[in-house]
């Protein structure tokens, strides 16, 4: 039977790695993207050249609550069941306490918390058909807050709570787990020597190096395949969370 997966924010970086990993494992992909149209089209073409009609793409602004209905209807128009939902799309930006405003709060929480909740809700009927799996991309800073990112960290903490809630309330119908990346990709200065701040982060990682997108994608695939893991959050951080 054909397996299907929806990945939000699947056009670039970690999202794209997850898409490629699931596709290689035999899943047909529903790939949501925001502004990365060119990257989404390139990735879709690559996967469809490997297996015809195996990757569909769809744009949506996840800050707009009504787009949740649009995405879920798009998926439902193409399949009667969904094996995997990966809530990967996320907003990450600094919001220092003295300067943070309501617009930033709403932007971050709408994408990082509201959309995963209501998208999962909208797709529950498809997910339970094959006892599917929901995997939420969280962050190690959901537990250990990141300086000057109080709203982002709060949003990821809320997503962690929702992950555990779904696993408990609907564990008889589906599974829900989370993956919390540590330092995987520098948001800036990629390819250059690490800044002092980045060097300080590396000192807190026992493995003394960054992870990569494949480390996250492999963990997502592991959670898809192991059908007795539910309500767990896996830190993929090189041991950074052991540093106090």
């Amino acid at each position: 039977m054909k397996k299907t997966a929806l990945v939000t924010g699947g056009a670039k970086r970690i999202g794209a790695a997850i898409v490629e990993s699931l596709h290689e494992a035999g899943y047909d992909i529903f790939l949501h993207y925001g502004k990365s149209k060119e990257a989404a089209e390139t990735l879709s073409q690559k996967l469809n050249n490997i297996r015809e009609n195996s990757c569909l793409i769809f744009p949506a602004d996840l800050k707009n609550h009504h787009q949740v209905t649009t995405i879920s209807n798009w998926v439902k128009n193409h399949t009667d069941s969904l094996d995997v939902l990966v809530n990967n799309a996320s907003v990450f930006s600094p919001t220092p306490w003295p300067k943070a405003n309501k617009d930033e709060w709403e932007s971050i929480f709408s994408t990082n918390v509201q959309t995963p909740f209501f998208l999962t809700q909208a797709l529950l009927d498809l997910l339970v058909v094959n006892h599917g799996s929901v995997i939420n991309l969280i962050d190690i800073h959901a537990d250990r807050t990141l300086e000057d990112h109080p709203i982002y960290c709060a949003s990821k903490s809320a997503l962690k709570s929702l992950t555990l809630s779904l696993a408990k309330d609907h564990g008889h119908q589906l599974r829900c787990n989370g993956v919390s990346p540590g330092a995987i990709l520098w948001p800036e200065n990629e390819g250059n020597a690490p800044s002092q701040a980045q060097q300080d982060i590396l000192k807190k990682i026992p493995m003394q190096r960054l992870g990569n997108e494949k480390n996250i994608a492999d963990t997502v695939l592991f959670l898809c395949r192991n059908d007795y893991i539910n309500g767990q959050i896996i830190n993929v951080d090189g041991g950074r969370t052991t540093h106090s």
Side-chain angles (χ1 to χ4, degrees), residues 197-225:
Q198 292 167 347
Q199 291 177 23
D200 291 341
I201 290 174
L202 290 174
K203 291 177 182 178
K204 297 177 181 179
I205 302 173
M207 296 182 72
Q208 298 182 8
R209 60 178 175 85
L210 290 180
N212 57 52
E213 305 101 314
K214 189 174 186 301
N215 297 138
I216 306 302
D218 286 348
T219 308
V220 170
L221 185 58
F222 164 73
L223 288 171
C224 292
R225 287 174 166 170

Side-chain angles (χ1 to χ4, degrees), residues 54 94 99 104 173 210:
S54 60
K99 299 179 180 180
E104 291 172 321
Q173 295 177 306
L210 290 180

Side-chain angles (χ1 to χ4, degrees), residues 35-70:
K35 299 178 180 179
S36 304
K37 180 180 180 180
E38 184 176 350
E41 290 176 341
T42 299
L43 179 55
S44 175
Q45 183 176 6
K46 173 184 176 181
L47 299 182
N48 286 325
N49 286 341
I50 296 172
R51 196 167 69 246
E52 189 175 2
N53 298 321
S54 60
C55 181
L56 301 178
I57 62 175
F58 190 82
D61 179 5
L62 299 187
K63 299 185 190 70
N64 182 343
H65 174 63
H66 299 292
Q67 292 295 304
V68 169
T69 301
T70 305

Side-chain angles (χ1 to χ4, degrees), residues 51-219:
R51 196 167 69 246
E52 189 175 2
N53 298 321
S54 60
C55 181
L56 301 178
I57 62 175
F58 190 82
D61 179 5
L62 299 187
K63 299 185 190 70
N64 182 343
H65 174 63
H66 299 292
Q67 292 295 304
V68 169
T69 301
T70 305
I71 296 172
S72 60
N73 286 342
W74 168 60
V75 174
K76 290 178 178 181
N77 285 337
H78 289 90
T79 183
D80 294 325
S81 64
L82 186 66
D83 294 280
V84 176
L85 166 60
V86 182
N87 287 306
N88 168 71
S90 183
V91 172
F92 176 82
S93 61
T95 54
W97 280 89
K99 299 179 180 180
N101 58 59
K102 186 178 180 182
D103 287 343
E104 291 172 321
W105 176 281
E106 291 179 349
S107 173
I108 293 172
F109 262 78
S110 63
T111 301
N112 295 6
V113 185
Q114 180 173 282
T115 291
F117 179 87
F118 286 104
L119 185 58
T120 302
Q121 180 191 66
L123 294 172
L124 276 177
D125 54 340
L126 268 62
L127 285 160
V128 302
V129 172
N130 295 328
H131 297 281
S133 176
V134 177
I135 300 171
N136 293 323
L137 270 291
I138 307 177
D139 194 299
I140 61 170
H141 293 295
D143 296 316
R144 301 186 180 191
T145 188
L146 178 64
E147 182 178 0
D148 289 334
H149 289 73
I151 299 177
Y152 169 80
C153 293
S155 74
K156 289 300 185 176
S157 183
L159 183 58
K160 178 179 178 179
S161 179
L162 292 177
T163 301
L164 302 179
S165 177
L166 182 62
K168 183 176 183 180
D169 293 347
H170 288 274
H172 60 296
Q173 295 177 306
L174 52 78
R175 296 180 299 111
C176 185
N177 296 287
V179 178
S180 285
I184 300 300
L185 293 168
W186 300 131
E188 300 175 329
N189 301 323
E190 292 181 80
N192 299 324
S195 67
Q196 184 58 53
Q198 292 167 347
Q199 291 177 23
D200 291 341
I201 290 174
L202 290 174
K203 291 177 182 178
K204 297 177 181 179
I205 302 173
M207 296 182 72
Q208 298 182 8
R209 60 178 175 85
L210 290 180
N212 57 52
E213 305 101 314
K214 189 174 186 301
N215 297 138
I216 306 302
D218 286 348
T219 308

